[in-house]
Amino acid sequence: MKKVLVAGASGYLGKYVVKEFKEQGYHVSVIARNALKLNEVKEYTDEQVICEITNADSIKGICKDVDIVFSAVGITKQKDGLTYMDVDYRANKNLLEETKSAGVDKFIYISVFGAHKMKQLKAIQAKLKFEEELKASGIDYTIIYPNGFFSDMMEYLNMAKKGKGMVIGSGENKINPIHGADLAEVCVNAASGDEKEIEVGGPDVFTHREIFEIAFKALNKKVKVSGFPVWMKNIMLWFLRTFTSVKTYGPLEFFMTVLSNDMIAPKYGKRKLEEFFYKSV
Ligand SMILES: NC(=O)c1ccc[n+]([C@@H]2O[C@H](COP(=O)([O-])OP(=O)(O)OC[C@H]3O[C@@H](n4cnc5c(N)ncnc54)[C@H](OP(=O)(O)O)[C@@H]3O)[C@@H](O)[C@H]2O)c1
């Protein structure tokens, strides 16, 4: 039986990946910094190790007898006072070093769809820096570039709950978000595949305005969406980049960039955003 080590198992995608690896017959080890956050996936794991991936000493020997390493470790909404370089780059690099010394067969890493077109963003720079290390490591790898997750679409539902949606410009830019369970299938299939890079999004393409319409419909509320002028977005970003630290402006510049561009990735999966919203209200 192949043994996989999942890092980021406490996160939205990580939990689905743990379940999918188990269902596909792997021996599943997970690492996380908080045991409580693993409760949801406990039944799908064979081994749980509580450690700090940001501290290289804390994960020494973690990859012993491991065949596949999977990492979804990255800053999304965490407010730990750490930077993208600390986590998306260095923490994953710590894991890669362990991978190298243990003779692991393959490293699967989660990046972001369109990363190479968003090199100016701090969140992306840290991911691309890690990708360079991974590519140069000599270890077989797959880098997955997924579009926005359904979990992030909750922001639309939360705004709709408050009564008003906000889009950038006319809100006509498009995206095909993906459910964690669909993406987990892609991640686990990559363990036995030979593709080095996989771009992937969900089955349906929506404008940002349409996502709000679905959210309001799920709540049985009248649709109310306003446009945030593009020029104002640019001034706001300049202001944030000039007067705040990367911990504040990093997530905002990322989301504003995603919202103001078409992000259409190769389609995969069957889970519907409508259903996700109806289940979440
Ligand atoms: N969400 C999206 O729409 C989206 C789209 C494309 C790509 N991605 C990328 O996919 C990856 C997973 O995203 P997700 O939405 O599943 O994120 P998530 O739910 O926030 O999970 C992130 C994982 O990274 C871990 N992590 C973060 N900071 C850490 C730290 N300082 N020390 C140790 N562990 C830390 C988290 O651990 P804790 O649970 O302990 O915080 C969690 O296990 C991220 O790299 C993200 O950038 C996300």
Side-chain angles (χ1 to χ4, degrees), residues 194-206:
D194 52 15
E195 281 177 277
K196 295 280 181 218
E197 303 190 353
I198 301 175
E199 295 185 323
V200 62
D204 302 307
V205 177
F206 305 101

Side-chain angles (χ1 to χ4, degrees), residues 212-221 223 274 278:
F212 274 118
E213 287 166 6
I214 299 168
F216 278 104
K217 197 171 160 206
L219 292 162
N220 208 11
K221 280 175 110 172
V223 179
E274 288 91 333
Y278 276 109

Side-chain angles (χ1 to χ4, degrees), residues 26-186:
Y26 286 78
H27 177 283
V28 182
S29 275
V30 298
I31 56 172
R33 54 182 171 164
N34 181 340
L36 286 178
K37 282 192 163 183
L38 292 174
N39 278 346
E40 243 183 84
V41 288
K42 210 171 184 170
E43 61 182 299
Y44 305 108
T45 64
D46 298 289
E47 203 179 336
Q48 303 192 352
V49 181
I50 302 308
C51 54
E52 287 288 347
I53 192 173
T54 46
N55 174 356
D57 289 337
S58 166
I59 59 165
K60 277 268 171 299
I62 203 80
C63 293
K64 188 169 180 293
D65 299 329
V66 166
D67 300 298
I68 311 280
V69 167
F70 169 90
S71 178
V73 169
I75 293 182
T76 55
K77 299 181 180 73
Q78 289 79 6
K79 303 233 180 305
D80 308 315
L82 297 178
T83 63
Y84 293 114
M85 279 296 168
D86 295 328
V87 179
D88 294 66
Y89 171 65
R90 255 174 237 107
N92 282 303
K93 172 96 179 355
N94 290 341
L95 185 57
L96 181 61
E97 289 308 319
E98 286 303 311
T99 307
K100 281 200 252 182
S101 55
V104 167
D105 291 341
K106 187 165 196 175
F107 195 119
I108 303 169
Y109 176 63
I110 301 298
S111 182
V112 168
F113 177 65
H116 292 94
K117 292 185 191 147
M118 300 190 287
K119 288 180 181 164
Q120 76 281 12
L121 306 180
K122 291 290 179 190
I124 300 298
Q125 286 167 4
K127 286 189 190 303
L128 291 177
K129 192 168 158 70
F130 175 70
E131 289 174 30
E132 289 310 315
E133 300 271 1
L134 180 56
K135 289 175 188 172
S137 69
I139 292 178
D140 189 17
Y141 67 88
T142 300
I143 302 171
I144 298 176
Y145 296 94
N147 218 336
F149 303 169
F150 277 13
S151 54
D152 271 23
M153 302 298 122
M154 283 301 289
E155 295 298 329
Y156 293 75
L157 196 63
N158 291 336
M159 282 168 89
K161 276 183 190 161
K162 288 182 190 150
K164 192 173 164 190
M166 182 71 77
V167 290
I168 294 183
S170 62
E172 294 305 315
N173 285 115
K174 296 184 177 103
I175 186 166
N176 56 329
I178 184 161
H179 192 288
D182 284 335
L183 180 54
E185 289 173 11
V186 176

Side-chain angles (χ1 to χ4, degrees), residues 221-232:
K221 280 175 110 172
K222 191 167 176 291
V223 179
K224 199 169 171 197
V225 182
S226 302
F228 191 75
V230 177
W231 63 266
M232 209 187 277

